Amino acid sequence: MTDPVTTLTAFAIAEFAFKKFFESSVGKLGEKFTQTALTKMDELHQKIRDKLRGNPRAEKALQEVEKGSKDHLNKLAFYLEDEMKDNPDFAAQVSTLAQEIKAGKIQDNSHMVMNIDGQNNTGNQSKNEVTNQGGTSYIGNNTINNHYQQP
């Protein structure tokens, strides 16, 4: 039976390594991560690619992920998890790189504005990112300003 924590960690590492294959443009990725983190992503990607070389199933999953298939990311994480269990030095290297990438994530504290209805009501929500193993959650404060005028 696989350890769920290890699987999640392997998935998170794979997600960092192959993130650029899922972004609509490299420029958008550059808005979310520092240049150092982007360089580390490439390094992590190459390290995983080199390690999985020679395993036909892992190579197939790798090729599909590099084509943008998020469905194959779980398969790739499974093969990565096996390699990490078999090789603690490799596990430590990729974990360290993933932590460095995570540390290079640029926090988005921008505001989201929405028009609630046609009566000049607006809502503002400050957006604070909280990164976790499963993805990004947005936590913020909501302010609703009512500017309703009688007709």
Side-chain angles (χ1 to χ4, degrees):
M1 184 169 192
T2 52
D3 177 9
V5 174
T6 307
T7 302
L8 187 59
T9 303
F11 181 81
I13 291 169
E15 195 172 37
F16 276 134
F18 297 92
K19 197 166 212 40
K20 69 180 179 183
F21 295 101
F22 302 121
E23 288 293 326
S24 59
S25 72
V26 177
K28 279 193 164 201
L29 196 57
E31 293 173 5
K32 297 176 183 179
F33 291 91
T34 64
Q35 185 58 45
T36 302
L38 294 173
T39 302
K40 297 287 182 182
M41 279 182 194
D42 289 338
E43 187 179 339
L44 181 60
H45 170 249
Q46 191 60 50
K47 191 169 287 293
I48 291 171
R49 184 174 239 306
D50 291 346
K51 192 62 162 175
L52 297 179
R53 187 172 290 136
N55 178 336
R57 289 182 177 171
E59 285 182 1
K60 175 70 175 158
L62 186 75
Q63 290 170 356
E64 293 301 318
V65 169
E66 288 175 346
K67 290 178 187 174
S69 172
K70 285 189 176 183
D71 294 336
H72 286 82
L73 193 59
N74 283 328
K75 290 181 183 180
L76 186 66
F78 174 78
Y79 296 117
L80 176 59
E81 178 186 8
D82 280 347
E83 287 297 331
M84 290 172 67
K85 285 180 179 178
D86 292 345
N87 188 337
D89 289 338
F90 171 72
Q93 291 171 4
V94 295
S95 293
T96 299
L97 282 170
Q99 287 298 325
E100 291 171 356
I101 294 165
K102 186 175 179 180
K105 186 167 182 15
I106 298 171
Q107 187 171 3
D108 181 1
N109 291 324
S110 62
H111 292 279
M112 297 183 290
V113 178
M114 62 186 154
N115 189 9
I116 296 172
D117 62 23
Q119 303 298 322
N120 293 324
N121 294 333
T122 58
N124 294 310
Q125 178 179 9
S126 61
K127 181 172 70 171
N128 298 314
E129 289 187 27
V130 177
T131 305
N132 55 40
Q133 291 289 345
T136 301
S137 303
Y138 294 98
I139 300 172
N141 301 320
N142 295 327
T143 305
I144 297 177
N145 304 313
N146 292 315
H147 304 288
Y148 182 73
Q149 297 175 354
Q150 292 287 333

